[in-house]
Amino acid sequence: MISNTLQSVASDNNAGVHPRILQAMADANQADAIAYGDDPWTKALAAQFQALLGPDCRSFPVFLGTAANVLCLQAMTQPWEAVICAPSAHINRDECGAAEAVAGRKLLTTAPNPQGHGKIFPRDIEPLLGSRGFVHQVQPRVVSITQSTELGVCYSLDELRDLADFCKQHDLLLHMDGARLPNACAALGCSLKEMTADVGLDALTLGGTKNGMMFGEAVVVFRDDLAAALPFLRKQGMQLVSKMRYLSAQLLELYGTELWLENARHANAMAAMLAGRVAGVPGLEFVHPVQTNALFVRAPRPLLARLREEFFFYFWDDGASDRPVARWMTSWSTSQEAVQRFVYRLEAALQG
C-alpha cells in the first residue's frame, strides 16, 4: 500500500476527491448505461445546468480544463481568427500552446498591466483591433477572460458587463475560463447565472476538478451556433467520454446541490485565515489582493526554502531574485489545523 503524507499548499488540484463525489460515482456504477452521453445522469446534468444558468445554455462534459478551453475557442472562431487574452491567462501560459497547436488559433495578448492582477479591460483590448479587415493579419474574434484570474482576483459584475458590452459593440465573442468560477461566486456573493448568462457571456469553461471532483469540466455555451458545432468538435478533440455517466454523475453532485458553493466558500475561508495569520510576518509582502483561495507572497528565498522542506508549494515568479514570489493555495479539504501547522512552520523558519 502506498503511503502519502504530502503537506501541500501548492494547488487545489492537489486536493483529494470529496466523499460525496466518490459516492456519486459509486451510485452511478449500477447495471448498464448507454455510452457517449445518452445516459440518465448526463441528461439530468443538462437539465440542471439549464436550471442554474438559464434555458438557453447547452452543456458538454469533458475530461480536462485545457481541452474545454480549446473546444470553446475552436467553436467560437474560424482558422483565420484570433483570441485576445491577458498575458497571465491560463490558455497563454499554462496550456503548452494547446489553443494554437490543437485548435490552430492565434492568441493575442494585451499589454502587461501589473495593477490589473490578471484582469483585462476594454481599454486593453482596443489597441488589438486595428488589424481588422487587413488580409495579412489574423482577425480578432474572441476575448477570453479568467474568473477568478490566475492571480486569485475577481472581476466585478460591472466589469464583466462592461466587457460584454464592449464585445457586442465590436462584434467580438466573450469566453470565460471558469476553472475557479465557484470561488469567484463565493467571494462576490452572487449566483453562477448572475456571473455568466446575465452579464452576456457567450461561452464558459466551468470547472470541477479544482473544487472537489476526481476529473472533469463542462463546456457551456449560450449560442445555438456554438452548440451545433460542439458535439463534433468534442468527438474530434478526443473528449467524448465513452462511459460519460461517471463524469456526469460527478458534475451533477457538484452542481445539482450546493456542494460547489460549500467547497468554494471553505477554500476561500481557509485562504483568508492564512492571509490573516501571516499578514504581519516580517519580510512577507502580498503581491496581489487575497480575494479567493490563492495567496501570492514575496519573501526572502532562504525563508521560502526552509518552509518548502515541509510544505510543497510553487514559486510563481522565481528568476534570480533573492525575494521570489510563492503561490500558496487552499482547497475544499484544507483544515484549520493544516493552516495552523503551516503558520507554525513559517514562524519556525523565521527563526532560522
Side-chain angles (χ1 to χ4, degrees), residues 58-72:
R58 299 293 181 270
S59 56
F60 302 87
V62 297
F63 275 121
L64 307 169
T66 295
N69 284 334
V70 168
L71 289 173
C72 278

Side-chain angles (χ1 to χ4, degrees), residues 35-39 42 45-46 58-64 67-68 70-72 74-75 217-220 226-242 244 247-248 251:
Y36 300 110
D38 197 18
D39 60 82
T42 304
L45 177 65
R58 299 293 181 270
S59 56
F60 302 87
V62 297
F63 275 121
L64 307 169
V70 168
L71 289 173
C72 278
Q74 196 171 13
E217 323 286 314
V219 171
V220 181
L226 303 182
L230 272 162
F232 305 98
L233 291 172
R234 179 173 60 170
K235 176 62 177 179
Q236 193 177 62
M238 298 169 283
Q239 290 295 308
L240 181 62
V241 184
S242 172
M244 196 178 294
L247 172 51
S248 297
L251 286 164

Side-chain angles (χ1 to χ4, degrees), residues 69 72-78 81-86 91 105-110 120 125 128-129 132 139-145 166-167 170-176 202-203 226:
N69 284 334
C72 278
L73 300 179
Q74 196 171 13
M76 299 171 83
T77 54
Q78 296 293 336
E81 292 175 328
V83 178
I84 296 171
C85 64
I91 59 173
R105 303 307 191 257
K106 175 69 174 176
L107 300 181
L108 302 174
T109 57
T110 58
I120 57 175
I125 300 166
L128 297 173
L129 303 182
R132 284 186 143 180
Q139 301 297 291
R141 177 58 173 155
V142 172
V143 173
S144 180
I145 60 174
F166 178 88
C167 287
H170 293 82
D171 194 28
L172 297 164
L173 299 179
L174 183 59
H175 165 255
M176 177 185 287
D202 295 298
L226 303 182

